[in-house]
Amino acid sequence: MQERALLPLIHDRVATHIETKLAFAAVFEAYYKRIFNYIAYRVSCRYTAEDLASQVFEKTLSKLPGYSPEKAPLEVWLFAIARNVVNDYYRSQARQRFFSLDSIRELVSGKKEPETLILGRERSDRLQVALDTLSPKERNLIALKFGADLKNTEIARITGISESNVGVILYRSMRKLKSEIGSVEEL
């Protein structure tokens, strides 16, 4: 008798669990590339960006049942999680410095021509050096704009900065990058 009473509850939980998994799959498909690009702008290693993107979606999956669209749009919520994951990564890096083999592994494991690899790596290194000259706030905005492909209004919602201030900071950041790199053709 008690089992029959529990069956609807169990059925509801299983149905909710399946709905959460389906919703997560849709979120993952729609946002993985943009989340990865955002993180890749903020960190210098592709493998680290992949690991951090995985952490973002782990946290998203665990928190998805409690997500409320009334509090913030899904995109804002996801990029807030991504920003926090990257900030946690930098905090942990500040505590322990270690030699990373990821960048060497990335160089060796490519399947492209060696010349293409070297030229691409040089461009990437120059861009990385230029990005390192920016403040963390400027770099975060550049990552949200070009890595995550967000509009200034969306960036303003995520960061809590006014839309006009986002535009000004992005403009100044791009000028700094241009002075560091030179023209785009030199890249």
Side-chain angles (χ1 to χ4, degrees):
M1 186 82 170
Q2 286 181 338
E3 287 182 23
R4 287 188 181 171
L6 290 176
L7 279 178
L9 292 174
I10 292 171
H11 185 352
D12 288 346
R13 285 185 184 166
V14 169
T16 303
H17 183 68
I18 290 171
E19 289 172 10
T20 301
K21 281 189 168 189
L22 289 174
F24 175 74
V27 168
F28 184 84
E29 290 288 325
Y31 290 99
Y32 179 80
K33 187 175 181 180
R34 292 173 59 199
I35 293 287
F36 172 79
N37 286 340
Y38 165 72
I39 294 172
Y41 267 83
R42 301 259 338 256
V43 300
S44 55
C45 176
R46 182 176 150 237
Y47 294 110
T48 302
E50 288 174 353
D51 289 345
L52 295 178
S54 296
Q55 288 179 25
V56 168
F57 285 100
E58 278 181 40
K59 288 187 177 191
T60 301
L61 180 60
S62 68
K63 295 179 180 185
L64 195 58
Y67 166 71
S68 172
E70 292 85 29
K71 291 181 182 175
L74 180 65
E75 194 169 72
V76 172
W77 183 66
L78 281 173
F79 283 102
I81 291 173
R83 181 189 64 217
N84 291 337
V85 165
V86 172
N87 290 341
D88 289 346
Y89 165 75
Y90 278 118
R91 272 188 227 115
S92 72
Q93 290 294 303
R95 278 185 243 138
Q96 51 176 259
R97 293 270 174 203
F98 60 89
F99 179 72
S100 172
L101 295 175
D102 289 340
S103 58
I104 295 171
R105 187 178 340 142
E106 189 170 329
L107 264 178
V108 174
S109 67
K111 293 182 179 176
K112 296 178 181 174
E113 297 289 321
E115 290 177 21
T116 307
L117 270 177
I118 291 171
L119 290 174
R121 191 62 169 168
E122 284 178 10
R123 283 187 208 121
S124 178
D125 288 346
R126 286 182 63 197
L127 180 61
Q128 203 63 47
V129 167
L131 285 171
D132 287 343
T133 63
L134 300 177
S135 72
K137 182 180 183 180
E138 292 168 331
R139 191 171 177 160
N140 185 39
L141 292 182
I142 291 287
L144 288 169
K145 181 71 177 183
F146 300 104
D149 199 27
L150 294 175
K151 297 175 183 165
N152 289 1
T153 55
E154 296 165 325
I155 295 171
R157 267 190 260 148
I158 291 171
T159 59
I161 301 172
S162 72
E163 184 181 346
S164 61
N165 200 8
V166 168
V168 169
I169 293 170
L170 283 171
Y171 176 75
R172 290 180 182 161
S173 301
M174 292 304 291
R175 280 183 44 193
K176 281 184 185 178
L177 287 176
K178 187 176 179 181
S179 71
E180 283 293 320
I181 295 171
S183 71
V184 176
E185 290 79 34
E186 291 178 30
L187 245 183

